[in-house]
Structures are given as structure tokens and as C-alpha cells.
Amino acid sequence: MTRSPDAPGQDYAERCFRSSAGIGGGVLLLALSTWLGGDAMLRGTGNAPWLALAGLLFALPLIVAFTLRPAVWAGEDRLLVRNPFRTITLPWASVEGVRAGYSSEVFADGKKYQLWAIPVSLKQRKRAARRQARDAAEDVTGRASVTPRPSGPLRAPSDQAIEDLRELAERGASREGAQGSPTVRWAYELIAPSAVGLLLFAALAAIG
């Protein structure tokens, strides 16, 4: 059982969705940005160190917001969606639908919220569809394919995650603790330093 850091009073039982590719890319970007910015701050001359500091102050929160921060926690009573700049808490009773088209989305209280932590891969979806079609053809003919059958899921990971969330929403909507309206909290701890860094960089660039 895992616990969401954004809702300390709510337990989430083994239903945490995150993008491993996004996390890996974010770690690499943070390391590269810190190395380049730190080098400019230590070795730069004139206002270069200050420009580097402003650039880091602007860029690092954005990298964290778009790579490391996105996550989705699904508990018994509610769905917690942590997007780059917002954290949305959705009691299951308020959830009207969950779908994955070109992006993963949840509908609640007449509004649409994207699920950044569950990216849609059209390539994986096409691969899963081809395998489903091949398996269906083998079932009709009653003969197994002479070529080795590749291992892998019959559904794209994003589609499977959406199906899991849909089932959890249907199961949890009637729970007493799942009643209520959506709440949204902005991630000012990331927005504020990034805005300050942008203003500082613009001011330094204007001064020259």
C-alpha cells in the first residue's frame, strides 16, 4: 500500500500510475541543466553567472513539473491527479467518465482533466491491435501460427490503465467516502520560482 504525498489522510492501494520514460528523461535533463548552469556560474564572467542562475531558476521547476511531478493515485474513495501545475482531487462519485484518445482524460463535474502521468502511445496501441487481430484470426481458423507468438499485452498500457481506472470509478462511486466535488490546488511552489527566474533573466538580458 502506498500513500499519496498530496493527501496524507488517504491510502492508495497499489494503484499509482507514472511515466517511467518521463521520469528517466527528467533526471537526465536535470543533471544536464545543473551541470551546464553550474559551470557557467563558476567559470562565467560579467553577468553570465547571474544569467545562468536565472536560467536555472526558470528551467529546473519546469523540468520537474513536466517530467517528475505527473502522477495519478487511485484509491478506494477518490482519484488524485497530479499534473504539471495542478493537483486535482476527484471523489469517485464526481467522476463521469475516463477515456484515452490521443491523450488520457477524466471527466468530472462537467469539466475535463488530462492525465499527464498516463501518456498515450499510438505505436503501442497499433501493436496491440495487430496482435489482437492475429489471435482472433487464429481462433477462427482453429490453427496456431507457424511463427513464434511474441510476448506482450493484448492492450496498450495506457488503454489498460484507463480501463482499470474506469472499473475503480464504477466500484467506488457508491461508497460513502467517495462523495463530494472536485478540488484543485495550484503548484505555486513550482510556478513562483520559475516566474521569478524568467523575470530576472529578462531584466539581466535587457541591462546587457
Side-chain angles (χ1 to χ4, degrees), residues 85 185-193:
F85 299 115
R185 183 181 69 84
W186 289 89
Y188 293 109
E189 67 275 11
L190 294 175
I191 298 174

Side-chain angles (χ1 to χ4, degrees), residues 152-169:
L154 291 176
R155 305 189 66 178
S158 58
D159 294 333
Q160 184 59 56
I162 292 300
E163 182 62 29
D164 293 343
L165 292 178
R166 191 177 293 123
E167 292 177 0
L168 286 171

Side-chain angles (χ1 to χ4, degrees), residues 37-59:
D39 184 71
M41 291 173 61
L42 293 174
R43 302 173 183 271
T45 58
N47 66 347
W50 291 102
L51 284 172
L53 176 62
L56 287 176
L57 195 59
F58 169 70

Side-chain angles (χ1 to χ4, degrees), residues 8 21 30 43 46 86 97 113 132 146 155 161 173 181 208:
L30 285 174
R43 302 173 183 271
R86 295 192 300 176
Y113 304 96
Q132 285 181 344
V146 295
R155 305 189 66 178
S181 302

Side-chain angles (χ1 to χ4, degrees), residues 8 10-11 17 38 41 71 81 83 106 112 121 148 168 172-173 177 183 194:
Q10 172 70 40
D11 289 331
F17 303 89
M41 291 173 61
V81 180
N83 283 340
V106 57
K112 179 177 70 174
S121 171
L168 286 171
T183 59
S194 185

Side-chain angles (χ1 to χ4, degrees), residues 1-2 16 29 40 64-65 205:
M1 180 175 290
T2 58
C16 179
L29 285 175
V64 172

Side-chain angles (χ1 to χ4, degrees), residues 70-126:
V72 172
W73 282 275
E76 293 181 345
D77 295 334
R78 59 185 57 89
L79 179 71
L80 190 143
V81 180
R82 196 170 68 183
N83 283 340
F85 299 115
R86 295 192 300 176
T87 298
I88 306 107
T89 303
L90 305 172
W92 286 125
S94 69
V95 174
E96 300 162 354
V98 188
R99 75 178 185 186
Y102 291 104
S103 63
S104 300
E105 303 164 341
V106 57
F107 297 84
D109 204 22
K111 297 181 180 180
K112 179 177 70 174
Y113 304 96
Q114 286 192 331
L115 305 177
W116 283 73
I118 308 178
V120 172
S121 171
L122 297 181
K123 182 178 180 180
Q124 290 178 338
R125 183 176 288 171
K126 290 179 180 178

